Structure formats: C-alpha cells, structure tokens
Amino acid sequence: MQRHRVMISAAVVAAAIGFVPTAAQAADQPAQRQGSAAAAMDSAKAAAAKAAVFHSPAERTIRRSTSASTSTSTSGKAAAPQAAGATDAAKGNAGLAVDLRASATSAHGFSLASQITTTAGAPVKVDIDWGDGRTDTEHVTGSKLLTSKHTFTELGKHQVKVTLTDQDNKVTATNSVEVQSLGSKFTPHAPTRLLDTRSGVGGSNRPVGPYGVARVKVGGNSGIPADATAVALNLTVVSPRSGGHITAYPSGTEQPTTSNVNFVAGQTVPNMTIVPVGADGYVELANRSYGDVDLVADVTGYFSRSASAGGYTSLDPFRIADSRTGQGTWGQVAGQSTFSLQVAGNGAIPASGVTAVALNVTATAPRGAGHLTVFPTGQEAPNTSNVNFKAGQTIANSVIVPVGPDGRINVRNGAWDPADVIVDVVGYYSPGSKASYIPTTPTRLHDSREYEFPVQGQDFRWLPLADGDPTITAYVLNTTVTDPQGSGHLTVAPDPYTWAQRENGAPKPTPPNSSNLNWTKGETVPNLVQASTGTTGVIDFWNRGWDPTHLVVDMFGFYDKS
C-alpha cells in the first residue's frame, strides 16, 4: 500500500501562523498534524484487501500416482473412487502437498502464495491454472514458498488450481482455491424508493428515534440481486426534531464515526451515498441525534461482480446545464415541469455505450419549496427526489442516474414555483469503462477543525490521495462544510500539479466552473463527491466563498482500474 499525506495550501498556514514560510515549511506543519490521516487511508485500504483473502490448507491436497490411478489426500485416505487394480499413491514422495493462500491486490489482481512441501529431493513442476484459460508453470527443488501474481480480465469468482508433478517418484499433488474479485461494477436501477418512514415503505411507519437505527433491505429487493456489494442511495432527512447527522454502513459491521447527512432541527436535506451492503443484504442508517427523524432512501443503482455491469470513468467536472445562462434550458424551470439533457456525446462522454452518469445537481433561487427529480428519458417521473429545497435556498446534491435509450436524462422541478437548475458532470458508467469500485471502511481523512486552520476564502486545500498509484482514478468522498463565516460554494477538482511540484511552490491553479455543495453563513452542509484523481493523483478542495470555512472529508471507497 502506498503511504499518503494530507497537505494544505501555503497561504492558509502563512495567514494562520503570521509568518511567510517556504513551500517546504508550509507542507511540513500540517503534514505533521495530519499524519493520522495518512495512516487512516492506508488502514482503510488494507482492511478492504484483508477482506479478500482466500485459503485452502495443505490438508486438502489430492495426491495421485501417475503409474496408477489411485488418489489420496495427504492424510492417506482415498479422495475419490478410482479404477480397479490401482496402487497406493502414497508410496512416492508421501509428503508432497501444497497450501494455497490468495490475496487480492487490486480490483482484478491477486497474489497467490503456494507453500510447497516435498519429502523428496527430486525436482517438482508447478502448474498454476488460474481458471480463466491462462496458466503459469514453475519448477522447484525442495520445499518452497512460491509467490505468483495474476490479473483477471473479468470480475467475479475464479477457481485457481495448482498441480505439483514429481516425475521421478511418479506422483502428482493438486489443491485448488476459489477466489472472488475485490472490485465490483455498476448497474443502473430505475429510481425506486426502498424506505420511507412516513408512509411505511420498507417496513416502518414511525420516525427513527434518538440514536436509533433504520434497516434498509437492499439485496433481493426491487430487482437488486442478493449478491450486490454496494448500493447508490439518495438519503433524505425529513423534519428532524434536533440537529445531528445520519451514518450509513453495512449491516453486521461496527457503526463508523463518519457522517453521510448533516442536519439541523426542522430541516429537510438530501445527500447521495454509496454504501456497502451487509452479508444479510441490509444497509443500516443510524440517527446520531437527540430527536426523532423521518428517513427516505431512494436507490438509483448497485454494484456487483456481474459480467454485464459497467465500470466507471471519472472526468474533470464540466457543466452541461445552467438555466441562469440558458445552457441546457432557457430561464427558470417552471413548477411541475421537466426538461431533458443530452448526455451521450456531450463533452468527454462517449456517444454510445453509456449506462449511467454521475452528476452534481444544484437548485438555486427557487421561488417556493419543492424538490428536483432526475431520471432517464423514456420513463415516467418516479416518486423519488434528488434535491430538496425551500424558497430562496441554493442547495446541491450528487446524483447517479441511468441514461435513457436516446442518451438523454430528464430533470423535473417538483415544486409549484419556478427554480433555476445547474447540472455538472463528474463521470459516467459504461461496459467499456475500466475502473471498478472498492469500498473501504468509512474513514475520516481530513478535518480542519483539528488543527484550527479553516480554508480561507478563495483558497483551497489539496490532498495527494492517489500519489504514487496511477491505477486509482477516483475517490468516493463525503465532503462537509461546517461553521462557514459567510456564503459560498465548494469546488472539488483534480490538481494539474504533482505532490512534489505543489510542495515546491507550484502556482495556484484555476478551479473549474462547477460546484459540489453550496452553503450560507453558519450552515453545516454535506455532499457526496466522486472526486477524479486526474493525471497527478492530487485533489483540490476550493472554498469559492469570500470567508473562511472548516472542511471535513470522509472516504468511503475508490475506483481502481487495475
């Protein structure tokens, strides 16, 4: 695993400490304070890899005489009926066996440790059948630990078989282990409501009590397969009685300390989340507040190891609609009306093969309360919501939406009054996209409150998250702005400079014309960000307001193309 560090811009340190340091000094101060963030990221990735270790002990080795047809296990017991007249295979090199331990190293990759045991000094041929039509052959003399690496073309389960052949003693020994890929890919799902505690959808018609937990059935529900590994949910908090936050996590695991949706009393606020599915098919939503809260959960897709699922391609954020300027639609979107947007072939998105698109959708200057719903063309508007707003509010939410058969999506203003709408693209899913998703233990990477350095107005914080690892194309993050001293918006984008260049005083880059979350003074606002690592692995978090604000960044997973 690569070691990662979290850095903040030199301008922030200089302003806070009251002197003008060199670039190296600017990096050292916060790096020391944020050393735990680097360890947290490595720990989260290591935990993901540890969950994908597969073992077949040497005792399962099947030995076979090549001069007859009897098979035995290493215990000497017959493993399977053989032809009549067979001789005992244990006569030649009776200790020949192999212990297999396969460990996931990437979305598609594995490292196979073959511990070979032999009681004879004769050379042994080692044949590794990876179960995908490809094989490797090695030769050893004596007992040895043999390490082999392999990358599968397809995700899913593979039966890896290792056969040892001792020609001098006329015996073979075979063991096999089933492995399952660490990565998973995305299948879009028609926007569907899985939970609504107000109406009883999902099994409960009562609010979630203080520090209570709501369970959402995902695997095996509404056409989602039982073996889904993660799910894309739009979570909406409705009329909470006190301030707090919601934490989403897989059933059967420890409740993390991260947050997905932050709220104050009486607020209705949505947020997108990508959360692993528990072994029992459930996701749990913890109400971390002192009051009751109603919860709504809408699914727009799921991750699995299905061969028909699509990978992810991250993009530098770009805008495809802004009703204020006439881009994509003209003027404010009337209440109870819908407009469509061409996605396929727009900008860096290919003209064909796209199954879903990752967006950031913003409602601004609405004349009344309501919500926006984003859905594929060719379908009726679903009974779901992506962005909820009140009159005059500017609010954004991350959206993953299937693309219609004509390559377009619809955006509906469910309010009775007009509102401006902004749509930014951050990536897309397609069968031809290489990156697959690897969920991690929810991990806090950055919290500016810990070292009392808020992000200054028109400044940025840079995190070299994928430094030294070009196979990671994007991170799934939850960004939260808290205690802002004025209004503004956050822009998350890849940095054009490497970690080393930025440490050595690289110039301030120009942020793109996109936004990930919007806030007003004093608000705490979260939003999911599928942050591209660009060409350098460094990600910038821009405070586009004029006043300082604190920034919290939590990691939930990443996309890996290896």
Side-chain angles (χ1 to χ4, degrees), residues 85-112:
T87 60
D88 184 2
K91 291 181 179 179
N93 196 349
L96 189 64
V98 58
D99 179 285
L100 302 178
R101 188 178 297 271
S103 304
T105 56
S106 66
H108 293 252
F110 280 87
S111 176
L112 176 67

Side-chain angles (χ1 to χ4, degrees), residues 135-462:
T135 60
D136 289 327
T137 300
E138 301 279 354
H139 294 83
V140 301
T141 300
S143 298
K144 183 178 181 180
L145 176 63
L146 187 66
T147 301
S148 311
K149 296 185 181 300
H150 187 74
T151 300
F152 292 98
T153 302
E154 300 294 335
L155 297 175
K157 294 181 178 180
H158 302 274
Q159 193 74 23
V160 180
K161 182 171 70 174
V162 176
T163 300
L164 312 180
T165 302
D166 180 349
Q167 293 181 336
D168 290 357
N169 290 286
K170 296 181 172 56
V171 64
T172 65
T174 302
N175 196 358
S176 62
V177 60
E178 184 179 73
V179 301
Q180 184 165 269
S181 305
L182 185 59
S184 53
K185 293 188 175 182
F186 186 75
T187 299
H189 190 286
T192 304
R193 187 146 291 175
L194 300 184
L195 175 74
D196 189 339
T197 59
R198 301 168 302 177
S199 62
V201 173
S204 173
N205 60 358
R206 300 181 60 184
V208 183
Y211 288 86
V213 174
R215 285 170 52 81
V216 182
K217 176 68 172 175
V218 174
N221 188 10
S222 297
I224 303 171
D227 61 353
T229 59
V231 63
L233 290 177
N234 195 65
L235 303 179
T236 305
V237 171
V238 182
S239 302
R241 295 192 177 182
S242 70
H245 65 269
I246 301 297
T247 296
Y249 57 100
S251 174
T253 65
E254 185 178 352
Q255 192 176 118
T257 58
T258 52
S259 63
N260 296 91
V261 188
N262 297 70
F263 51 86
V264 297
Q267 184 182 27
T268 295
V269 57
N271 198 24
M272 187 74 188
T273 182
I274 297 176
V275 58
V277 179
D280 60 358
Y282 281 83
V283 165
E284 297 192 348
L285 309 176
N287 172 18
R288 304 299 299 273
S289 77
Y290 290 107
D292 292 349
V293 62
D294 276 308
L295 292 177
V296 177
D298 300 322
V299 62
T300 60
Y302 59 87
F303 294 83
S304 70
R305 298 181 178 94
S306 169
S308 62
Y312 183 66
T313 298
S314 62
L315 301 173
D316 288 357
F318 68 96
R319 186 152 290 174
I320 62 171
D322 188 340
S323 63
R324 302 171 302 177
T325 62
Q327 182 182 6
T329 186
W330 287 97
Q332 284 201 312
V333 182
Q336 302 295 304
S337 70
T338 300
F339 70 95
S340 67
L341 289 170
Q342 183 67 38
V343 172
N346 195 335
I349 304 173
S352 61
V354 177
T355 58
V357 63
L359 309 169
N360 203 73
V361 179
T362 304
T364 187
R367 298 186 187 179
H371 65 272
L372 300 179
T373 298
V374 187
F375 60 102
T377 54
Q379 300 180 13
E380 295 293 326
N383 182 32
T384 59
S385 63
N386 296 97
V387 183
N388 296 71
F389 51 82
K390 57 187 178 182
Q393 184 182 25
T394 296
I395 186 170
N397 195 20
S398 182
V399 175
I400 299 175
V401 60
V403 175
D406 58 357
R408 301 177 70 86
I409 60 172
N410 287 332
V411 181
R412 181 176 185 272
N413 177 10
W416 293 104
D417 301 287
D420 278 308
V421 177
I422 303 167
V423 181
D424 298 318
V425 175
V426 299
Y428 64 87
Y429 298 89
S430 72
S433 298
K434 301 300 183 183
S436 56
Y437 182 61
I438 299 177
T440 65
T441 302
T443 305
R444 181 144 294 174
L445 299 182
H446 181 78
D447 189 341
S448 63
R449 298 170 300 181
E450 291 184 359
Y451 46 87
E452 298 179 355
F453 287 139
V455 186
Q456 299 298 309
Q458 301 299 313
D459 205 354
F460 71 107
R461 198 130 301 176
W462 57 281

Side-chain angles (χ1 to χ4, degrees), residues 45 316 508 514:
K45 291 182 179 179
D316 288 357
K508 198 173 186 177
S514 62

